[in-house]
Amino acid sequence: MDLANFSAKLEPFLLMAKSLKGAAAAKLIQDATAAPGVFVFSELLELPNIQELGKSEQHQKFLSLLQLFSYKTYQDYLQHKDKLPPLNQSQIIKLKHLTIVSLAADRRILPYADLLEALDISNVRELEDLIIDAIYLDLLNGKLDQKEEQLEVSYTMGRDLEPGKLEQVLAALKDWASTTSSVLATLDGKINSIAADTAAAKFNLQEHEKILQDNLKYVHDKQKEKSLGGGMASRRAAFQLGDRENMSMDVDEPDGKGKNRKASQEMAPKNARKRNKF
């Protein structure tokens, strides 16, 4: 939304208004309020020669007309139309556009029913066309929800501020700043809490990992110790088996000392027989 463009549209009227008074100044107001693309009027309204129109009974209603387009709505026009100059079709459409802007500034969701009443329209199709035109003119941005019959507003242009409303705006801004500070403080607290929880979770994970590694090392050492012990027992059993086999060989010896012992036993009787002969 280009606010500078809105001000630029008013600039030619500002230049002309500085030298106009009375009926000419009143005619300028009529032209400015009907001109395409002119939606802000505060600079024109503040000019001294324009303000002088309020002192003239004949031209006072034109100053009221400029005030209407600056910060009031179509309902204000309907209530005070007998004190205002008659509006042409261009002025009526523009005032309705500005009325939508004012309503959108207060609420993000605008039901069709409220808009139909505020704009004095009985046809939904006419209302939607009016809203679409306002969006194309960059007065507001939003989405038409035809199912729910409402306008969802994203943003709007800013209208001129009515005298006496500055204090309300400042109070609203102060409340907004207080609410924002409270929300930020709450968010900071949540962030700090999440950071503390994350640090604690990380510490617990590290401790768990350390305990796990210690347990794995313990199991590994035990398995290694058991494996080494089993090998020594196997070697001892092999050595014992070898000793038993050697002992068996000493007892049998079929080709060695056993054969000589048998031979000596067989020879013994012969010697004995020889001794018996003498």
Side-chain angles (χ1 to χ4, degrees):
M1 184 171 295
D2 191 357
L3 296 178
N5 184 53
F6 291 145
S7 297
K9 295 285 187 179
L10 183 65
E11 189 67 27
F13 297 97
L14 291 175
L15 295 175
M16 290 186 290
K18 292 178 181 179
S19 59
L20 299 178
K21 292 185 178 182
K27 178 64 169 61
L28 179 72
I29 290 174
Q30 284 276 36
D31 294 341
T33 53
V38 180
F39 293 98
V40 291
F41 304 93
S42 60
E43 292 180 86
L44 180 62
L45 184 61
E46 292 170 356
L47 292 177
N49 53 326
I50 297 297
Q51 287 293 319
E52 285 181 3
L53 295 176
K55 300 177 182 179
S56 169
E57 184 177 351
Q58 181 182 359
H59 301 123
Q60 184 179 11
K61 59 183 179 180
F62 291 97
L63 178 62
S64 298
L65 177 65
L66 187 57
Q67 292 170 339
L68 174 71
F69 276 84
S70 295
Y71 39 73
K72 294 186 179 181
T73 66
Y74 189 71
Q75 284 297 315
D76 294 315
Y77 166 70
L78 294 179
Q79 293 174 16
H80 303 96
K81 61 187 305 183
D82 56 330
K83 298 178 181 179
L84 295 166
L87 302 184
N88 60 34
Q89 189 62 26
S90 297
Q91 288 172 312
I92 290 175
I93 293 175
K94 180 182 289 192
L95 185 58
K96 288 184 177 183
H97 283 155
L98 291 171
T99 300
I100 296 173
V101 170
S102 292
L103 294 172
D106 294 331
R107 291 180 291 168
R108 181 178 174 274
I109 302 297
L110 295 175
Y112 281 5
D114 293 350
L115 290 170
L116 289 170
E117 181 180 356
L119 301 174
D120 194 27
I121 297 175
S122 59
N123 189 307
V124 172
R125 178 60 182 274
E126 182 182 349
L127 172 64
E128 290 181 339
D129 288 344
L130 194 67
I131 294 171
I132 292 171
D133 288 342
I135 292 173
Y136 279 126
L137 289 169
D138 207 21
L139 302 178
L140 59 88
N141 187 279
K143 181 178 68 173
L144 292 173
D145 188 341
Q146 294 178 321
K147 181 179 179 180
E148 298 295 333
E149 294 191 340
Q150 62 187 19
L151 169 63
E152 299 178 3
V153 181
S154 300
Y155 64 83
T156 70
M157 64 166 284
R159 293 195 67 186
D160 299 320
L161 189 62
E162 184 177 359
K165 296 291 185 178
L166 180 60
E167 291 75 12
Q168 296 180 13
V169 173
L170 291 175
L173 290 173
K174 185 177 180 180
D175 290 342
W176 176 80
S178 177
T179 302
T180 303
S181 298
S182 177
V183 170
L184 290 175
T186 301
L187 289 175
D188 288 340
K190 289 290 185 182
I191 291 171
N192 292 335
S193 177
I194 291 172
D197 291 343
T198 302
K202 183 177 180 180
F203 177 78
N204 291 335
L205 181 62
Q206 291 174 344
E207 287 294 307
H208 174 76
E209 185 68 22
K210 183 177 181 298
I211 293 172
L212 177 62
Q213 293 300 325
D214 290 343
N215 289 337
L216 290 175
K217 184 176 183 301
Y218 175 79
V219 172
H220 179 267
D221 292 344
K222 283 293 183 182
Q223 289 178 344
K224 184 177 180 181
E225 181 180 341
K226 184 178 180 180
S227 176
L228 291 174
M232 293 178 66
S234 298
R235 287 194 292 273
R236 284 198 298 269
F239 289 145
Q240 292 173 358
L241 179 60
D243 291 341
R244 286 196 296 271
E245 289 176 351
N246 290 335
M247 290 174 65
S248 299
M249 290 176 64
D250 290 342
V251 172
D252 296 339
E253 293 187 11
D255 297 327
K257 295 179 180 181
K259 182 178 180 181
N260 294 334
R261 195 159 43 245
K262 184 177 180 182
S264 62
Q265 290 175 355
E266 290 175 353
M267 292 175 64
K270 293 180 179 181
N271 294 335
R273 284 194 299 272
K274 288 180 181 180
R275 284 196 297 270
N276 291 337
K277 289 181 179 181
F278 293 104

